[in-house]
């Protein structure tokens, strides 16, 4: 039962993200490369969800017994942490720039008479 | 001696006029008092209410957060060449009579930064708030080496020297913690003065939640590790 729910959940998320990405691409908010990247990522997620045997085959291809499921999970977590960090850094940078612009606009009138 | 009182305002239409009007017109040792109300992109009529008072209105086009609004107010105080700047919350939780108390050590040249602590009398302070602030005090102590009894207090006073030396770049509630860490980095002395807190259902409803506390810790840690 839990397996079916998780499959439905993954599929719903994938449809949401991919359709959003395509809509953004059509309205020129997202580049073709970025749209293709998200489609590929979510196709991979769906493949793993519906065909878990892919993981076993991948492990075998990467060296059989020496590469366990834990290694794959570990690598996935490191990758997700790296992506989260990059997104956080980027959003922090954008937040600082937005603050600067908003402050400049708010202080515009105040600075004018003092410059004279 | 010129004093600027910076009030960050976000959706405080119900109380802001009263808060501004409660600020004394004369304080011993101060020649001029200027009130700088920073409207932080409020979606209610806060800006209109501020216009009815003697405060100078600084209107931010978008909501930057508590820190963003406070830093904007401090910038204005610098432009106006204020000698002392006090930050004062707009939700009515501070007693305006305490302004006199927190600027005294700066007038007497004893210190550069004064924090009004709510921990001298914690009657009426909700338990979760007491616990949350003390946890934050400990984290700030670990990060800065400075122990203060109320690291999250919004009532603070800065000397002109402190204003010139401190560099802030946070935008949310983590601003209160950044002041302490930055002061330690710049070797500026911090004094604490006991102050009154007015706990009303309104000011309590404006308090911080647990998730915000986690957010503050993440942002402060990020700044410590990565830098501004």
């Amino acid at each position: 039962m839990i397996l079916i729910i998780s499959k439905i959940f993954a599929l719903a998320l994938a449809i949401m993200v991919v359709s959003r990405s395509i809509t953004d691409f059509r309205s020129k908010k997202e580049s073709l490369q970025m749209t293709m990247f998200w489609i590929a990522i979510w196709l991979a997620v769906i493949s793993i969800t519906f065909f878990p045997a892919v993981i076993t085959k991948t492990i075998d291809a990467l060296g059989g017994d020496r590469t366990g499921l834990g290694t794959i999970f570990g690598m996935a977590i490191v990758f997700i942490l790296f992506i989260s960090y990059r997104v956080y850094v980027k959003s922090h940078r954008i937040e600082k720039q937005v603050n600067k612009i908003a402050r400049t606009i708010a202080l515009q009138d105040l600075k004018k008479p003092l410059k004279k | 001696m010129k004093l600027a009182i910076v009030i960050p305002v976000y959706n405080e239409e119900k109380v802001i006029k009263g808060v501004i009007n409660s600020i004394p017109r004369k304080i011993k040792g101060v020649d001029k008092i200027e009130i700088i109300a920073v409207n932080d992109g409020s979606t209610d009529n806060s800006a209109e209410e501020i216009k009815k008072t003697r405060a100078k209105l600084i209107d931010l086009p978008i909501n930057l957060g508590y820190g963003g609004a406070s830093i904007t107010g401090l910038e204005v105080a610098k432009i106006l060449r204020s000698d002392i700047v006090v930050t004062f919350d707009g939700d009515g939780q501070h007693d305006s009579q305490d302004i006199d108390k927190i600027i005294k050590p700066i007038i007497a040249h004893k210190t550069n930064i004064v924090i009004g602590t709510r921990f001298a009398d914690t009657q009426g302070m909700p338990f979760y708030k007491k616990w949350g602030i003390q946890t934050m005090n400990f984290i700030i102590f670990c990060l800065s080496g400075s122990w203060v009894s109320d690291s999250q207090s919004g009532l603070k006073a800065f000397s002109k020297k402190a204003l010139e030396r401190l560099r802030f770049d946070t935008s949310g509630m983590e601003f209160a913690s950044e002041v302490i860490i930055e002061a330690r980095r710049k070797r500026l002395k911090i004094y604490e003065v006991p102050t009154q807190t007015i706990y009303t259902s309104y000011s309590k409803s404006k308090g911080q939640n647990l998730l915000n506390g986690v957010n503050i810790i993440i942002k402060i840690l990020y700044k410590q590790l990565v830098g501004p």
Side-chain angles (χ1 to χ4, degrees):
Chain A
M1 185 66 181
I2 294 169
L3 208 66
I4 294 169
I5 293 171
S6 65
K7 280 179 183 178
I8 294 168
F9 185 64
L11 189 65
L13 272 181
I15 291 169
M16 248 169 61
V17 174
V18 170
S19 61
R20 176 83 206 181
S21 205
I22 292 170
T23 314
D24 284 352
F25 171 66
R26 278 184 178 165
S27 58
K28 291 178 181 173
K29 283 180 189 166
E30 201 169 275
S31 67
L32 177 67
Q33 290 94 319
M34 195 47 88
T35 309
M36 296 307 285
F37 171 77
W38 286 121
I39 291 172
I41 289 283
W42 283 95
L43 275 178
V45 171
I46 291 302
S47 307
I48 291 168
T49 313
F50 283 89
F51 310 104
V54 172
I55 295 177
T56 320
K57 281 179 185 167
T58 313
I59 291 169
D60 287 341
L62 289 172
D65 293 340
R66 281 171 292 145
T67 314
L69 198 60
T71 315
I72 301 287
F73 266 114
M75 281 164 68
I77 289 169
V78 168
F79 180 71
I80 289 166
L81 280 175
F82 173 73
I83 296 288
S84 309
Y85 172 74
R86 289 298 306 157
V87 169
Y88 191 86
V89 169
K90 195 129 195 167
S91 71
H92 183 72
R93 207 174 293 155
I94 293 168
E95 188 182 288
K96 275 174 78 174
Q97 285 167 348
V98 169
N99 281 3
K100 204 174 165 186
I101 294 166
R103 200 163 290 143
T104 308
I105 294 168
L107 302 184
Q108 229 166 19
D109 295 336
L110 196 71
K111 281 180 176 171
K112 270 179 199 166
L114 289 171
K115 276 182 183 170
K116 282 177 188 173
Chain B
M1 189 76 75
K2 201 169 165 184
L3 169 70
I5 297 163
V6 171
I7 310 177
V9 181
Y10 180 65
N11 290 348
E12 309 280 12
E13 64 174 2
K14 287 179 188 163
V15 296
I16 191 61
K17 201 175 153 193
V19 169
I20 294 170
N21 289 339
S22 75
I23 292 170
R25 286 178 182 268
K26 277 183 183 172
I27 294 174
K28 205 179 164 191
V30 175
D31 305 312
K32 196 178 178 191
I33 302 171
E34 265 173 313
I35 304 169
I36 301 158
V38 184
N39 179 35
D40 188 17
S42 296
T43 51
D44 64 0
N45 287 322
S46 295
E48 297 307 313
E49 289 298 309
I50 294 166
K51 279 178 191 165
K52 293 175 192 168
T53 67
R54 64 193 151 115
K56 188 183 278 293
L57 169 68
I58 302 297
D59 221 354
L60 285 166
I62 50 166
N63 176 242
L64 299 186
Y66 176 76
S70 301
I71 297 166
T72 306
L74 296 179
E75 282 291 317
V76 175
K78 263 198 238 177
I79 294 167
L80 298 174
R81 297 184 180 98
S82 308
D83 299 298
I84 305 173
V85 186
V86 168
T87 55
F88 195 90
D89 288 351
D91 59 3
Q93 68 161 289
H94 300 313
D95 182 352
S96 56
Q97 299 306 315
D98 284 332
I99 294 173
D100 180 32
K101 273 205 255 174
I102 67 160
I103 64 168
K104 258 184 192 163
I106 294 178
I107 293 175
H109 300 287
K110 284 183 184 167
T111 186
N112 294 299
I113 299 166
V114 182
I115 297 176
T117 175
R118 295 167 285 185
F119 275 77
D121 177 16
T122 55
Q123 211 177 9
M125 186 187 275
F127 171 74
Y128 65 87
K129 197 163 191 166
K130 226 183 277 182
W131 183 84
I133 293 169
Q134 275 163 350
T135 307
M136 285 307 297
N137 292 348
F138 178 70
I139 293 168
I140 302 305
F141 171 70
C142 293
L143 293 173
S144 69
S146 290
W147 176 261
V148 290
S149 65
D150 189 0
S151 61
Q152 304 306 301
S153 170
L155 187 57
K156 292 186 180 76
F158 301 87
S159 70
K160 198 174 190 173
K161 182 186 168 188
L163 264 196
E164 279 162 8
R165 294 190 65 189
L166 296 171
R167 291 281 173 272
F168 303 118
D169 74 328
T170 49
S171 56
M173 280 306 295
E174 65 277 12
F175 168 71
S177 312
E178 192 186 26
V179 169
I180 299 157
I181 296 170
E182 194 52 16
R184 175 73 177 202
R185 197 175 285 159
K186 300 283 163 64
R187 293 179 184 176
L188 294 167
K189 233 190 254 175
I190 298 178
Y191 256 48
E192 283 193 282
V193 169
T195 52
Q196 290 287 317
T197 310
I198 304 158
Y199 289 109
T200 59
S201 52
Y202 180 83
S203 68
K204 276 182 190 170
S205 71
K206 288 272 175 173
Q208 297 302 305
N209 58 37
L210 186 68
L211 270 179
N212 229 334
V214 175
N215 194 27
I216 292 171
I217 296 166
I218 292 171
K219 288 198 168 175
I220 290 293
L221 280 175
Y222 174 80
K223 203 196 163 190
Q224 288 297 104
L225 293 170
V226 185

